[in-house]
Amino acid sequence: MTPPADHRTARYQADPDQVSRVLLLYSGGLDTSVMLHWIQAQYGAEVSTLTVDLGQPDQDWTAITDKARDMGSAETLVVDAREEFCSEYIAPAIRANALYGGGYPLFTALARPLIAKVAVEAARELGCDTIAHGCTGKGNDQVRIDATIAALAPELKVLAPVREWSMGREEEIAYAREHRIPVSGGTRQAPYSIDDNLWGRSSEGRAIEDLDQPPPADVFRLVTRPEEAPDEPEFLRLGFEAGRPVTLDGDRLDLIDLIDEVSERGRRHGVGIVDHIEDRIVGLKVRDIYEVPAAAIILSAHKDLEKLVSTIHQNNFKAALDDRWAYLCYAGLWLEPLRQDLDAYMVAANEFVTGEITVKLYKGSASVVTRSSPYALYDKTLAGFGESGGEFSQLASPGFIELFSLQTRMAHEVRRRER
Ligand code: ARG
């Protein structure tokens, strides 16, 4: 078979004539399974697969590698990157209160640069010339993966068959049938495009694209519908050290287990459903349904504690940097120096974000109900309503107000006269 025509527009794209050893990012789903066959057939290339464990629930890694091996994969790697994901990606995101568009905790966006990095390491180890992935040409994930690979490994090329082939879902299923690629039971109606890891789960496509309709019930696979959540609230106590969650109800847990446990409790109480209209980096708008129980709880707790220990100036300043951090992460520019500069700021700003927060989970909501910190800038004896004494002098307030409002009063007067 002759390799496909050369349609390259970027130098990191694979040259059809020079694809000989490919590392395929493999999930075991329909797209990447068809790809595993297609790349071997089209390019006569040797293909190895890499599957990265980032805490996707209910995955049978052995079944995935068996399937890849049956389909001719030379090496079938599974890399457990959960620890690195937690400490190098999720923990920084927590310090930065990372939400894109005010609602999306970025679990997919955080995962992609790590997947790309693991892929580069594996490709080099196996002597591959090309990394292949299953991203479409319409999404953000292609940006994140391509940009990271191209930055880390200029010698490697990228192949994204879904961007090039003209197969839709039906054609892919037909291709799979024709070439005896096992198509798992639910695939025929697999109604949504799903991505998940330990920080959250997203669903896109099909019925979710009908903006005038509420999300269909079958979208929700993680979080209980708030209507069906228990009638009794549950309280959960999170301890932070320098902005990193380290204890749950007083027990010290590593971040993977802590996120798992918080997620489990949030799910039961219907916490973390986000129905989100999002601006993709490639210009399209999309509607996503997110199920993010752990992120919803941990991010609100973190932000609350941060406010308690930071000054008014720090608090007013940081939100803008948080937004910028989230944007760079979303946009796939994980390796952008500005993101790393901002990280340094986030670490500094979190030095004293240590303490405990209690969150109440109840029918879809996660609300902070208690907070404590040895570094709280909160003095109950000064805060008391109407009481005098201590270091706060109410008698000094009128002087403060007179000076503080000086320019505002002058400007108001000047404008009043002119109008
Ligand atoms: N909209 C989110 C993002 O761009 C989630 C994308 C989910 N990816 C997927 N392949 N279904 O990060």
Side-chain angles (χ1 to χ4, degrees):
M1 218 182 286
T2 47
D6 189 352
H7 295 303
R8 288 176 298 159
T9 55
R11 59 141 296 285
Y12 70 79
Q13 288 179 288
D15 174 348
D17 292 329
Q18 294 184 1
V19 176
S20 77
R21 277 188 127 168
V22 177
L23 180 78
L24 169 65
L25 284 165
Y26 186 64
S27 69
L30 179 66
D31 288 333
T32 55
S33 295
V34 168
M35 234 172 264
L36 175 49
H37 185 281
W38 189 87
I39 295 168
Q40 297 176 81
Q42 293 285 314
Y43 295 92
E46 179 193 283
V47 181
S48 291
T49 57
L50 168 66
T51 308
V52 185
D53 176 0
L54 296 174
Q56 303 88 318
D58 312 320
Q59 290 288 336
D60 182 344
W61 308 110
T62 316
I64 294 174
T65 50
D66 285 350
K67 184 171 173 183
R69 203 168 301 112
D70 286 349
M71 290 171 55
S73 180
E75 300 281 342
T76 56
L77 308 178
V78 176
V79 172
D80 178 356
R82 288 176 301 161
E83 215 151 276
E84 188 174 359
F85 188 42
C86 278
S87 57
E88 306 300 320
Y89 296 77
I90 297 178
I94 295 170
R95 288 195 289 267
N97 301 306
L99 287 178
Y100 176 71
Y104 166 42
L106 293 160
F107 52 89
T108 298
L110 289 162
R112 293 305 178 267
L114 174 55
I115 292 172
K117 175 180 165 251
V118 173
V120 163
E121 288 160 4
R124 283 179 172 157
E125 213 171 285
L126 297 177
C128 296
D129 46 76
T130 304
I131 294 174
H133 61 71
C135 302
T136 74
K138 282 181 156 185
N140 296 314
D141 288 338
Q142 55 171 346
V143 182
R144 299 163 181 155
I145 292 186
D146 288 11
T148 307
I149 294 172
L152 291 178
E155 84 280 9
L156 290 173
K157 302 291 178 189
V158 175
L159 188 62
V162 182
R163 264 194 312 227
E164 291 157 29
W165 68 29
S166 46
M167 285 191 268
R169 193 157 189 90
E170 294 312 313
E171 286 95 340
E172 283 186 35
I173 292 171
Y175 186 99
R177 294 252 154 74
E178 190 187 332
H179 297 96
R180 303 186 186 293
I181 299 165
V183 174
S184 49
T187 307
R188 203 186 311 166
Q189 70 273 39
Y192 310 109
S193 165
I194 308 295
D195 187 58
D196 58 6
N197 59 48
L198 60 104
W199 199 227
R201 169 187 159 93
S202 76
S203 308
E204 293 178 351
R206 301 279 181 111
I208 296 169
E209 289 167 6
D210 300 332
L211 301 190
D212 56 355
Q213 295 298 319
D218 65 352
V219 170
F220 301 100
R221 294 291 162 85
L222 203 59
V223 177
T224 310
R225 312 301 301 276
E227 300 85 329
E228 288 148 24
D231 292 328
E232 286 304 309
E234 180 173 344
F235 295 84
L236 155 169
R237 193 158 46 91
L238 276 174
F240 289 84
E241 279 172 16
R244 182 182 168 115
V246 290
T247 62
L248 176 57
D249 295 334
D251 296 331
R252 226 178 160 81
L253 297 176
D254 68 40
L255 196 45
I256 303 177
D257 296 331
L258 185 141
I259 289 172
D260 259 357
E261 178 61 29
V262 171
S263 174
E264 188 60 42
R265 302 229 219 143
R267 290 165 68 163
R268 267 204 305 275
H269 289 276
V271 169
I273 293 176
V274 183
D275 182 338
H276 204 230
I277 293 291
E278 198 166 290
D279 285 300
R280 281 189 186 158
I281 264 355
V282 294
L284 301 170
K285 282 194 197 287
V286 64
R287 182 198 197 184
D288 274 89
I289 305 297
Y290 294 121
E291 294 170 81
V292 289
I297 294 167
I298 293 172
L299 291 176
S300 5
H302 173 267
K303 194 167 189 170
D304 203 274
L305 184 59
E306 197 179 68
K307 276 202 283 192
L308 185 66
V309 303
S310 307
T311 67
I312 179 174
H313 306 289
Q314 291 176 308
N315 283 329
N316 289 342
F317 183 68
K318 187 164 180 286
L321 299 196
D322 288 351
D323 276 350
R324 191 46 77 97
W325 193 99
Y327 169 76
L328 291 172
C329 170
Y330 185 80
L333 302 180
W334 185 255
L335 298 176
E336 160 62 41
L338 177 59
R339 209 263 320 151
Q340 295 163 6
D341 298 345
L342 291 175
D343 253 358
Y345 176 79
M346 301 302 168
V347 168
N350 273 270
E351 185 180 351
F352 296 102
V353 183
T354 294
E356 280 195 330
I357 295 286
T358 308
V359 182
K360 175 183 172 185
L361 310 179
Y362 182 64
K363 291 204 180 285
S365 73
S367 18
V368 171
V369 290
T370 78
R371 56 283 267 171
S372 69
S373 167
Y375 308 115
L377 303 182
Y378 178 81
D379 185 338
K380 199 174 165 187
T381 62
L382 298 183
F385 218 112
E387 285 147 41
S388 266
E391 284 179 59
F392 193 97
S393 164
Q394 296 198 52
L395 295 176
S397 281
F400 163 75
I401 294 164
E402 181 163 69
L403 301 186
F404 184 64
S405 66
L406 178 62
Q407 290 197 3
T408 304
R409 288 184 288 113
M410 281 169 74
H412 185 73
E413 177 58 18
V414 167
R415 282 157 182 69
R416 194 188 57 79
R417 245 186 285 131
E418 282 306 310
R419 285 169 188 152

